[in-house]
Amino acid sequence: MDPLKALADAERKPYWLDSPAKPEPLPRLFGNTTADLAVVGGGFSGLWTALMAKERDPSLDVVLIEGRKIGWAASGRNGGFAMATLTHGIANGLERWPEEIATLEHMGLTNLDELGQTVARYGIDCGYERTGELHVATEPWQLEEMNESVEVARDLGVRFDVLDRDQVRAEVNSPTYIGGHWERDGCAMLDPARLAWGLRQACLSLGVRVYERTPVRHMRDTGTSMELLTPHGTVRAGRVALGTGVFQPLLRRLKHFLVPVYDYALMTEPLSAEQLASVGWHNRQGVGDSANQFHYYRLTEDNRILWGGYDAVYYNGGKIKPEYEQRDETFVKLAEHFFETFPQLSGLRFTHRWGGIIDTCSRFSAFYGQSHGGRLAYAVGYTGMGVGATRFGANVMLDLLAGERTERTELRMVKEKPLPFPPEPVRSVGIQMTRWSIAQADLHQGRRNLWLRTLDRMGLGFDS
């Protein structure tokens, strides 16, 4: 099908946020207030931190401040893959923290278990399904790399079903698949915006004070507490947790470690029963292909297909602009790839197209830290896999703010920082060279050129 025709009626806004379940925003902060803990940012990182702070200590006075609306940014725009991995996959974790990888895998699975338990406990209606993820190969070199990781994964207790061409197509029917793995336990599908709104309600039910449309313009250390200055008021708090992702950091040191990468997605209209039968997908797994420039896709509750990824776009200078959320070049490319993958769905139309920012760091997974004499903690850099891992990061921040030595805080992964990105304009030149090299690797059986091999040796990377 002509991709332009399929996209003709697609609305230019995130599907998840275009929902009748969307709650009215809570009031702004007017005047001055105090709290034991102030959480800055109303995405998953901040919501989990506020909720679990109250679960740990119901007497704690907790304030959450969001500059716009709860879940409006990355937390409401992603694919809805809640993954167990804390390290952006086993291979990345094994390369960076081999002595901790078994512990990290166990912690990640436990974290995902507890996320599901929280959804059930608070009755959060977010379409939660623990279906696992299907990793598919479309080229022989991808299958070779995937198979190399199977034995390691199994040694770590990860349930991988190895599927040949016919078996993987029996799960999801695409003529492009030549094999794959079904990671049974490591992923849950959900509606991310409804999860964010449900976590907001859970926070309110425990007594968290939530202020929306209240951006923090400045932060001041008084020596005994932290002051957060907003347009119409001030919060003075004994402790502060930062969950602001890649947006202008209140802690300036973070800008050296983070870059904003734009990711784009499409949503189809609901499939008819006949169309769905032509694809199969009876087990409703999330799916990801295995090129360097990869696609991710999944079914929604009403049997639409979300189709995203491939282009990970960095705009020179690290600029963040609303107009960057729409990129027709990428939308057309995604639509072409969709119909190559599912030619039997020719005639299907897309209803939504959108983009969002990923907080990317050079090690592909979150990093953590403290400042201001331990009164402030942060967790950032989830690099596209934060739906599940932000809950773990929230626990790390709470451990750090409490001054507790826990199994989490003693991890080398938690204690170490990624390598910083170079300053501009070298940063932009390097990232664009990396994007070009990654595309070339996909065209040449995955072979990495000298530039990528050099970055690998340095422990630097660029991903989404």
Side-chain angles (χ1 to χ4, degrees):
M1 182 176 180
D2 179 2
L4 291 176
K5 185 177 180 181
L7 288 164
D9 300 322
E11 296 193 63
R12 294 181 179 275
K13 53 186 172 182
Y15 169 78
W16 305 117
L17 297 175
D18 185 22
S19 168
K22 186 175 183 177
E24 289 297 315
L26 293 164
R28 294 175 170 88
L29 173 65
F30 291 102
N32 300 329
T33 190
T34 62
D36 297 316
L37 171 67
V39 179
V40 184
F44 288 139
S45 189
L47 290 164
W48 283 117
T49 303
L51 180 66
M52 294 192 296
K54 289 294 284 187
E55 289 180 334
R56 289 185 181 201
D57 181 358
S59 70
L60 204 67
D61 185 14
V62 179
V63 168
L64 187 151
I65 309 169
E66 163 55 40
R68 293 181 64 172
K69 297 178 183 179
I70 294 295
W72 76 275
S75 296
R77 297 165 185 256
N78 60 79
F81 287 61
M83 296 181 177
T85 183
L86 305 175
T87 61
H88 209 280
I90 290 175
N92 188 53
L94 191 62
E95 179 181 338
R96 298 177 188 278
W97 307 287
E99 76 283 3
E100 293 181 349
I101 189 63
T103 298
L104 290 167
E105 285 296 306
H106 173 74
M107 285 181 162
L109 284 168
T110 299
N111 179 67
L112 187 56
D113 290 343
E114 292 172 350
L115 187 156
Q117 292 162 13
T118 301
V119 166
R121 184 165 64 252
Y122 290 100
I124 298 174
D125 179 15
C126 63
Y128 183 92
E129 297 180 281
R130 186 80 173 261
T131 58
E133 183 177 8
L134 199 62
H135 306 271
V136 299
T138 58
E139 298 284 348
W141 67 268
Q142 298 169 14
L143 197 59
E144 291 172 12
E145 290 188 0
M146 290 169 65
N147 287 336
E148 289 175 5
S149 66
V150 170
E151 292 304 318
V152 173
R154 286 176 171 167
D155 288 346
L156 295 171
V158 178
R159 283 208 302 161
F160 268 110
D161 291 350
V162 178
L163 308 177
D164 63 22
R165 189 193 72 167
D166 292 341
Q167 289 171 322
V168 73
R169 293 183 185 183
E171 291 297 329
V172 180
N173 184 22
S174 170
T176 65
Y177 298 168
I178 63 171
H181 301 157
W182 183 359
E183 186 180 355
R184 290 274 187 167
D185 305 317
C187 188
M189 296 290 101
L190 51 79
D191 179 327
R194 281 160 49 199
L195 175 60
W197 300 330
L199 290 173
R200 184 188 86 155
Q201 183 56 42
C203 285
L204 293 172
S205 74
L206 297 187
V208 176
R209 289 178 287 142
V210 179
Y211 297 101
E212 297 186 58
R213 299 169 294 174
T214 303
V216 178
R217 301 296 193 199
H218 184 66
M219 181 172 64
R220 186 163 56 211
D221 187 341
T222 70
T224 57
S225 64
M226 302 297 295
E227 285 188 347
L228 305 174
L229 282 65
T230 75
H232 306 292
T234 300
V235 179
R236 176 174 285 196
R239 297 288 184 270
V240 171
L242 285 185
T244 51
V246 77
F247 292 99
Q248 187 66 34
L250 293 168
L251 195 63
R252 277 182 283 184
R253 72 181 69 164
L254 297 180
K255 69 181 182 180
H256 303 298
F257 298 98
L258 296 170
V259 295
V261 174
Y262 279 80
D263 181 56
Y264 298 91
L266 304 174
M267 186 69 84
T268 73
E269 62 190 342
L271 275 63
S272 68
E274 182 180 359
Q275 288 170 324
L276 185 59
S278 74
V279 178
W281 222 332
H282 305 295
N283 291 305
R284 304 182 63 82
Q285 308 98 321
V287 183
D289 58 36
S290 304
N292 291 296
Q293 293 180 290
F294 62 92
H295 306 87
Y296 57 87
Y297 40 113
R298 47 79 58 92
L299 290 171
T300 64
E301 283 183 293
D302 61 349
N303 294 326
R304 299 169 184 263
I305 297 176
L306 180 146
W307 179 267
Y310 191 76
D311 274 343
V313 181
Y314 178 78
Y315 293 94
N316 288 341
K319 296 181 177 67
I320 296 174
K321 297 181 178 180
E323 53 263 39
Y324 293 162
E325 296 170 10
Q326 296 292 321
R327 192 172 193 262
D328 286 346
E329 175 188 351
T330 293
F331 295 140
V332 170
K333 192 181 302 179
L334 284 172
E336 290 173 346
H337 295 173
F338 178 88
F339 291 114
E340 289 170 6
T341 302
F342 297 121
Q344 67 270 45
L345 297 181
S346 179
L348 195 67
R349 290 178 175 270
F350 298 101
T351 63
H352 293 76
R353 49 183 151 180
W354 72 94
I357 312 170
I358 293 170
D359 62 334
T360 297
C361 73
S362 65
R363 74 183 197 182
F364 307 146
S365 54
F367 63 97
Y368 318 88
Q370 289 180 278
S371 182
H372 295 280
R375 288 186 293 276
L376 180 146
Y378 58 84
V380 289
Y382 290 94
T383 317
M385 292 192 180
V387 178
T390 45
R391 185 184 179 279
F392 176 87
N395 266 319
V396 171
M397 285 194 284
L398 292 173
D399 290 349
L400 293 173
L401 290 172
E404 296 175 357
R405 292 183 61 180
T406 67
E407 187 178 17
R408 286 182 289 261
T409 63
E410 293 305 298
L411 291 167
R412 188 161 65 88
M413 183 193 77
V414 169
K415 293 180 176 181
E416 293 179 348
K417 300 291 185 292
L419 289 172
F421 290 100
E424 295 287 3
V426 176
R427 177 181 295 192
S428 290
V429 172
I431 289 176
Q432 302 305 355
M433 173 65 78
T434 304
R435 292 184 65 233
W436 179 84
S437 297
I438 286 171
Q440 290 300 302
D442 282 338
L443 293 173
H444 296 90
Q445 293 78 50
R447 291 194 295 271
R448 298 172 75 80
N449 63 17
L450 178 60
W451 176 257
L452 292 179
R453 295 197 303 272
T454 301
L455 293 181
D456 292 341
R457 286 193 295 270
M458 294 172 62
L460 281 166
F462 175 80
D463 205 345
S464 65

